[in-house]
């Protein structure tokens, strides 16, 4: 793959780099995306599975759905796209990774401090006292888990439709955006706010905006360049190219 001279010349000067990722980055690990032809939201209704109302009216169903997804995430591995993003953290002196993904794969690939905008599916939280719980493994039938401190129901520590993003993650993301010189938006349909606006904020603040996606998104025409391809293929090639340039 041929990358633009502009992008390579910017990257070889060790700029502040931020990456925003979406479900597309985990697609090559076997996690289904939300939108698109076979997307999860084509088969399931988010308002019945991923909202506070859904949880309060049918916690058993919501827990069954999340248990299914937790089991999928437990069994998958990071792919070359994740490993390339982890490598970027070693290449650039100042690097931020912001993700909408809840699968924890960036951390498993080696990124030390991913900013998780939508939480982490392998963590659970008490709806009463907010105590955090690690993975819950159900043996046999899925049952609603309860807090061992206050006896309230536990829920997965993810952001549901209609909920605010975790304050600290949002603050960290804003800090990254304000400092960024090159901003990558990778594998996201760029439609869910506020993440969808982050690339735009970065560009308005002077960053060079690069999109990597297998198809066009609402961001494509706003980006300085849009690279069409799978993140697990484009990113390893980009890393190779940057390393070659740095060592020349
Ligand atoms: P989407 O499913 O909306 O979009 C996935 C994007 O990845 C699409 O634009 C695809 O074209 C692209 N894509 C698929 N495979 C790819 C690959 N191998 N390489 C590069 N791109 C690829 O997922 P998100 O944008 O992450 O929110 O969705 C945002 C949020 O909507 C999610 O975090 C979730 C969902 O509802 C919550 O759960 C709160």
């Amino acid at each position: 793959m041929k990358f633009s001279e502009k992008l390579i010349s910017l990257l070889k000067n060790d700029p502040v780099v931020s990456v925003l990722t979406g479900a597309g980055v985990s697609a090559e690990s076997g996690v289904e995306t939300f939108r698109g032809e076979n997307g999860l939201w084509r088969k399931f209704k988010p308002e019945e599975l991923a909202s506070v109302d859904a949880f309060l009216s049918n916690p058993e169903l919501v827990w069954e759905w999340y248990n299914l997804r937790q089991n999928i995430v437990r069994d998958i591995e990071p792919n070359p796209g994740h490993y390339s993003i982890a490598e970027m953290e070693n290449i650039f002196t100042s690097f931020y990774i912001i993700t909408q993904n809840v699968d924890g794969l960036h951390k498993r690939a080696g990124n030390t401090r991913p900013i998780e905008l939508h939480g982490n599916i392998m963590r659970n939280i008490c709806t009463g006292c907010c105590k955090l719980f690690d993975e819950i493994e159900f043996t046999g039938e899925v049952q609603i888990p309860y807090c061992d401190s206050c006896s309230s129901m536990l829920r997965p520590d993810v952001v549901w439709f209609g909920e605010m993003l975790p304050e600290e993650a949002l603050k960290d993301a804003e800090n990254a955006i304000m400092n960024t010189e090159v901003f990558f938006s990778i594998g996201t349909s760029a439609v869910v706010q506020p993440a969808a606006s982050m690339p735009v904020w970065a560009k308005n603040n002077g960053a060079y905006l690069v999109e990597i996606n297998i198809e066009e998104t609402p961001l494509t025409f706003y980006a300085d360049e849009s690279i069409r391809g799978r993140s697990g293929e484009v990113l390893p090639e980009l890393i190779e190219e940057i390393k070659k340039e740095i060592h020349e």
Side-chain angles (χ1 to χ4, degrees):
M1 174 167 285
K2 184 96 187 82
F3 297 101
S4 77
E5 274 177 31
K6 167 89 183 178
L7 178 60
I8 299 301
S9 73
L10 279 170
L11 292 178
K12 79 177 184 193
N13 284 322
D14 195 20
V16 180
V17 173
S18 289
V19 170
L20 170 72
T21 61
V25 170
S26 294
E28 289 158 78
S29 291
V31 187
E32 286 172 289
T33 59
F34 295 95
R35 297 170 187 80
E37 216 177 311
N38 297 310
L40 287 169
W41 296 152
R42 284 268 168 115
K43 295 175 257 181
F44 304 101
K45 291 199 175 101
E47 62 274 20
E48 286 173 8
L49 297 166
S51 72
V52 174
D53 285 350
F55 183 66
L56 293 178
S57 63
N58 197 346
E60 291 88 357
L61 177 72
V62 172
W63 259 110
E64 222 174 285
W65 153 258
Y66 274 94
N67 178 243
L68 204 76
R69 291 187 58 212
Q70 287 173 341
N71 287 342
I72 293 169
V73 167
R74 194 177 299 120
D75 288 343
I76 56 168
E77 296 297 330
N79 66 58
H82 294 106
Y83 288 117
S84 301
I85 295 168
E87 215 174 332
M88 282 171 143
E89 187 170 316
N90 298 324
I91 294 175
F92 301 108
T93 311
S94 197
F95 177 78
Y96 303 91
I97 160 80
I98 308 165
T99 188
Q100 298 166 87
N101 299 342
V102 295
D103 53 32
L105 289 181
H106 288 300
K107 198 151 201 179
R108 282 174 57 195
N111 281 120
T112 49
R113 213 175 145 260
I115 301 169
E116 294 181 320
L117 294 178
H118 294 166
N120 190 309
I121 199 167
M122 301 316 274
R123 200 173 51 223
N124 303 286
I125 186 164
C126 173
T127 53
C129 68
C130 296
K131 182 172 170 183
L132 293 173
F133 292 80
D134 286 337
E135 266 183 66
I136 294 167
E137 277 196 56
F138 298 94
T139 46
E141 210 177 301
V142 179
Q143 284 167 352
I144 302 164
Y146 290 91
C147 180
D148 58 11
S149 295
C150 75
S151 306
S152 303
M153 281 194 287
L154 303 188
R155 57 166 280 183
D157 194 9
V158 296
V159 175
W160 281 332
F161 283 91
E163 290 188 307
M164 301 286 283
L165 262 50
E167 209 175 308
E168 202 179 321
L170 200 52
K171 222 168 59 207
D172 289 348
E174 279 166 6
N175 172 54
I177 292 162
M178 295 317 284
N179 285 302
T180 290
E181 292 169 286
V182 179
F183 192 100
F184 287 92
S185 174
I186 311 178
T188 174
S189 57
V191 293
V192 174
Q193 298 294 355
S197 290
M198 291 181 178
V200 178
W201 297 339
K203 181 169 162 132
N204 289 348
N205 199 47
Y208 189 73
L209 177 59
V210 184
E211 174 179 65
I212 301 174
N213 201 302
I214 53 169
E215 57 191 31
E216 271 180 20
T217 75
L219 197 66
T220 303
F221 294 102
Y222 195 69
D224 292 296
E225 52 186 280
S226 191
I227 301 171
R228 202 62 63 243
R230 288 150 67 101
S231 51
E233 292 165 5
V234 174
L235 286 169
E237 286 190 41
L238 180 63
I239 296 296
E240 274 315 297
E241 182 86 21
I242 302 166
K243 286 207 290 213
K244 224 167 53 197
E245 289 288 334
I246 291 173
H247 292 120
E248 255 173 21

